[in-house]
Amino acid sequence: MDYTAKLDEAIERLHEEGRYRTFIDIERRKGNFPHARWRRPDGTEQPITVWCGNDYLGMGQHPVVLDAMHEAVDATGAGSGGTRNISGTTIYHKRLEAELADLHGKEAALLFTSAYIANDATLSTLPKLFPGLIIYSDELNHASMIEGVRRNGGAKRIFRHNDVEHLRELLAADDPDAPKLIAFESVYSMDGDFGPVEAICDLADEFGALTYIDEVHAVGMYGPRGAGVAERDRLMHRIDIINGTLAKAYGVMGGYIASSARMCDAVRSYAPGFIFTTSLPPAVAAGAAASVAHLKRDHALREKHQTQAKILKTRLKGMGLPLIDHGSHIVPVIVGDPVHTKQLSDMLLEGYGIYVQPINFPTVPRGTERLRFTPSPVHGPDEMDTLIHAMDELWSQCALNRAEMTG
């Protein structure tokens, strides 16, 4: 076999479909987010404004976080030096897990190198702990959840997105004595819609199932202390396992689960994705702990973030752009064609200094390709005006549809 030719064919298919992805080399400037510099392929640089980052609150630039990381680097050096079982557990890791357990009102938390690994490792391990486990998974769950469910070797059922009645049918059709777990998200990041948390908890109680919620796009941003949608809706006590990230609203890196002490102990003892992975650098854990602690108290930052999202959505709707609005902080504008989406992204970057990455299949279904904006508290009126002006001009220039979408 000509392996090189096969690789060329695979890459060429992406080019033909208009969904080949390119990296945009950017240099963030401390204290100046969302402004950055784009290093062009020819080596020249251009100032840009980042409108698609996951550092939702700008905590990656916050002095509280940076001071904690500097202090930890000076005290401990760079890396952790091992897995959590072999020399890689420090006071910084334990402190962070304690902050996260407190955040979610759980007995314990378990730290992973990313929320992807936390989902994958936990969901693929649970059938070892509960033989015969059936996992019921929302069809739009994140790839990390899908991979964990797929790899666990147990039974799985896929229910239609946010369709509680379909979930009920699936639960009712299975052996009432079989162990069960319902896996879903609180905020689905591509459309920005919310999961029916309370209704799913009611079904879990009725059918004796465990609940597993991914709060990755909600932690830090919803609830009185930033614990997510389940906290906002006063439902945390009804969730058995909460998954979250430290790489979005908290501005650093890493993922975790929060649950009972027994659950965390069992997962850490059986999950290969935890056992055989080098732990996060102490400085990263220190920065994350500082960020979590700060956002438990900083209500104003969360409120400003929601206000910014509402302002952007209102202004985009005012121009008749096809916007999906489910009331969350995520602002998806539908283009509906992969080539056009990439072209718009390129034109915004090169012509206006606005960086928003095109979102194409398989991240979203074909025909729903989009630009996904993530406004933050540090996007000011000038940045907002520039974006609105650019979108209005390009939408007219490209003769794109202005019929509004609401979901």
Side-chain angles (χ1 to χ4, degrees):
M1 177 180 286
D2 187 340
Y3 294 103
T4 300
K6 289 295 182 184
L7 294 174
D8 288 341
E9 289 174 15
I11 297 299
E12 183 57 31
R13 282 197 301 272
L14 297 178
H15 281 290
E16 290 173 356
E17 295 174 16
R19 57 187 187 94
Y20 178 77
R21 304 183 187 205
T22 56
F23 291 145
I24 305 298
D25 297 339
I26 63 173
E27 180 183 347
R28 285 167 56 120
R29 297 295 175 93
K30 184 178 73 173
N32 201 31
F33 185 76
H35 300 288
R37 297 195 71 80
W38 167 41
R39 189 180 297 274
R40 296 171 174 270
D42 63 5
T44 60
E45 291 188 353
Q46 176 181 334
I48 61 170
T49 302
V50 178
W51 273 98
C52 59
N54 283 336
D55 186 356
Y56 289 135
L57 302 177
M59 290 301 293
Q61 307 283 298
H62 200 287
V64 166
V65 176
L66 300 184
D67 289 347
M69 295 185 73
H70 281 299
E71 181 181 328
V73 165
D74 290 341
T76 69
S80 67
T83 65
R84 287 293 297 276
N85 288 319
I86 305 176
S87 79
T89 295
T90 70
I91 58 170
Y92 300 99
H93 298 86
K94 300 299 288 185
R95 186 178 301 158
L96 174 54
E97 287 175 336
E99 283 283 2
L100 293 168
D102 171 76
L103 174 69
H104 292 290
K106 298 298 183 186
E107 293 177 340
L110 190 64
L111 185 61
F112 293 80
T113 50
S114 72
Y116 187 109
I117 298 299
N119 271 332
D120 185 7
T122 303
L123 289 168
S124 62
T125 296
L126 289 174
K128 301 175 186 175
L129 306 175
F130 307 106
L133 179 69
I134 304 171
I135 295 183
Y136 303 80
S137 178
D138 188 290
E139 67 176 344
L140 292 189
N141 276 342
H142 189 264
S144 58
M145 300 173 78
I146 294 170
E147 189 63 21
V149 172
R150 179 186 295 147
R151 288 198 313 106
N152 67 31
K156 63 179 181 293
R157 312 281 185 261
I158 310 300
F159 61 93
R160 291 187 292 272
H161 179 53
N162 282 350
D163 190 333
V164 177
E165 287 308 310
H166 186 218
L167 174 58
R168 169 183 286 280
E169 292 172 10
L170 294 174
L171 286 162
D174 281 321
D175 180 354
D177 295 327
K180 302 174 178 67
L181 178 138
I182 305 170
F184 63 108
E185 299 186 36
S186 63
V187 179
Y188 290 85
S189 63
M190 288 302 114
D191 284 353
D193 55 330
F194 294 93
V197 183
E198 185 171 19
I200 287 177
C201 288
D202 290 343
L203 279 183
D205 289 346
E206 181 180 345
F207 288 94
L210 296 171
T211 48
Y212 184 107
I213 192 170
D214 179 310
E215 290 258 34
V216 159
H217 289 275
V219 289
M221 296 180 293
Y222 296 88
R225 298 200 308 159
V229 173
E231 183 193 31
R232 182 198 69 181
D233 297 346
R234 300 182 179 181
L235 296 168
M236 280 199 301
H237 62 289
R238 301 184 65 186
I239 303 292
D240 294 294
I241 305 173
I242 297 173
N243 169 276
T245 186
L246 303 164
K248 293 184 169 61
Y250 293 118
V252 192
M253 178 185 176
Y256 63 90
I257 60 168
S259 188
S260 67
R262 284 188 178 88
M263 182 69 78
C264 289
D265 192 22
V267 171
R268 78 166 186 90
S269 300
Y270 281 87
F274 177 85
I275 296 168
F276 298 105
T277 300
T278 299
S279 65
L280 287 172
V284 171
S291 186
V292 172
H294 178 83
L295 287 178
K296 287 177 180 177
R297 304 182 301 272
D298 195 339
H299 309 286
L301 197 58
R302 271 193 291 281
E303 291 168 3
K304 186 176 181 183
H305 177 252
Q306 292 293 324
T307 299
Q308 289 292 85
K310 289 175 184 175
I311 291 171
L312 178 58
K313 286 186 284 190
T314 299
R315 296 188 67 178
L316 290 171
K317 285 179 182 180
M319 296 190 298
L321 268 60
L323 168 70
I324 298 177
D325 182 8
H326 290 288
S328 74
H329 60 283
I330 293 168
V331 186
V333 177
I334 301 298
V335 181
D337 176 88
V339 175
H340 291 162
T341 307
K342 180 66 166 64
Q343 287 175 342
L344 277 171
S345 174
D346 291 344
M347 293 164 79
L348 284 166
L349 182 65
E350 294 167 9
Y352 300 88
I354 292 170
Y355 174 40
V356 56
Q357 189 72 7
I359 308 294
N360 293 327
F361 179 84
T363 307
V364 295
R366 296 182 195 274
T368 69
E369 293 83 3
R370 66 198 62 185
L371 298 174
R372 176 180 172 273
F373 297 94
T374 53
S376 78
V378 290
H379 285 90
D382 290 342
E383 289 86 359
M384 190 85 72
D385 288 344
T386 300
L387 173 63
I388 294 299
H389 173 71
M391 289 292 284
D392 193 24
E393 279 195 352
L394 291 180
W395 224 257
S396 296
Q397 180 180 328
C398 299
L400 293 171
N401 175 29
R402 286 187 185 255
E404 181 186 336
M405 296 177 63
T406 58

